[in-house]
Amino acid sequence: MDPVRNPYVPGAGASPPELAGREDLFTQAGIVLQRALGGKSARSFIATGLRGVGKTVVLARVEQLAKSAGYLTCFVEAEEEKPLGATLAPHLRRMMLELDRLGAVTEQVKRGLRVLKSFASGLRIQSVLGFSIELDVEPEHGTADTGDLTTDLPDMISALGHAAQSRHTGVALFIDEIQNLSESDLSALIMAMHRVMREGLPIVLVGAGLPHLVSLIGQAKSYAERLFEFPVLGPLSPAECEDALRTPAERESVDFTPEAVEEVVRITRGYPYFLQEWAYHAWNVAHGDRILKGDIQVATEVSLTSLDGGFFRMRYARLTPREREYCQAMAELGEGSHRSGEIAERMGSRTQAVAPVRATLIRKGMVYSPAHGETAFTVPLFENYLHRIRTMGTDPTDTDD
C-alpha cells in the first residue's frame, strides 16, 4: 500500500494515531488540572512502566490538556549528568516572563522574578549552561540563593506558584525519565511539591519513569507516597490492541483481518511501541485494502531487523562484558522475572559476587526489581534479542568489516 498514507508512527515518543487504553488516566489528569486551578488540593502523578509502553506519549497528551486548560507548561527530560536546577532554569525564566507579560504587574510576579534571579545566581547557572539568566531586576536576597537545591527549589517553585495564582492561571511541570535524577535532586523536587500542596498553589507535576522509580522516590522522601499518584502503564489488552491497530487503518479504508490482529498481539505482547512498529511495516508490505496474517509474518522479519539494529542494539552497546553476561543468564532462564540466586547460579557465581552488576544494570535502567530478590528486564522482548545474537555468535556492536 501507499507508504505516504501509512498512519502508524513507530518512532520513540511519537504520538500514535489512536492512543488506546489510557482514557481513564487522561480523565484523572483533567480532574487534577481543574482542581489545582480552583485552589483545591490535587495530587500530582508520576506514571511508571517498562520501555515502550508510551510514557512519553502520555506526558505529551496531558501537556495538551494542561495548555487547553490555560496552564503554562514546560517539558523536560531528566539527564544523568545534568543537575535538575540547570535543566529547569531556562523554562522557569520563560514562564516567569510569560506571567509578567500577561497584564498589569503584580507584586507576586515582581517577587517571582527577583527570586528567579537569586535562584540562578545561587546555583551558578551561567557556569553550567554557558549563558546567564538575564533579568532586569534585583535578586531577592536571602531567598533561593544558597546553592543547595533542596533549599532553593521549594522557594523558587513557591514564588512561581504565587505569581501564577495572581494571574489566575497555573503551571504544569512535565519531567520524563525521572529515575535519572540524583537522590538529592529527587529530594528537592519532592520537597518543592510538598510546599506547593501545603500552600495550595496551582502547580502540578506530571512525571514518568521506569518501574523502580517508585522505590527511589520512597527512599528520597518517605512522605512522597502521600503527594503523588503512581499509575502503572502496562501492555494493552487484546481489545485495546485491536483498537490501536484497526481504527487508524479504517480511517484510510483499510482493514486488519482477525487473524492478522491476533498475530500482532501474540508477537508484540501488547506493547504500544511494538504495535506501531509491526503495523507500520505490515502496511508497507500489504497489497490491496486488507492486512493479512501473511503480511504480519513478513513484517516480523522487517521489524526485528529494524529493532535489532536500533532499539535493542543501542541498549546492548551500553553494557560492559560482565553486564552482558548477566543479561544473557537472565535470557537463558526464560521470560519474566528471575530470582537473583538463579541468575548467579546460571553465571557460575554467587549472588553476593554479582550483586554489584545487578545494581549497575538497575542504575542504567536495563533491569528492575518487580519484587524483593527478583530481577526483570525493563525492555520488553529483550531476552528474545539476546537469544538471536547468541545464536548468530556475533557481537552486534562490532563495526569492523
Side-chain angles (χ1 to χ4, degrees), residues 28 73 80 98 107 149 153 172 181 190 203-204 232 238 244 256 260 266 272 299 337 370 373 385:
Q28 182 60 33
T73 71
E80 293 180 4
E98 287 181 17
E107 179 54 39
L149 195 68
L153 188 61
L181 294 178
I190 295 168
I203 294 186
V204 173
V232 177
F256 276 79
R266 182 187 69 81
S337 63
Y385 168 73

Side-chain angles (χ1 to χ4, degrees), residues 301-316:
E301 297 182 27
V302 182
S303 297
L304 290 178
T305 298
S306 174
L307 291 167
D308 287 359
F311 183 79
F312 292 129
R313 181 179 181 273
M314 179 180 68
R315 287 160 173 81
Y316 184 80

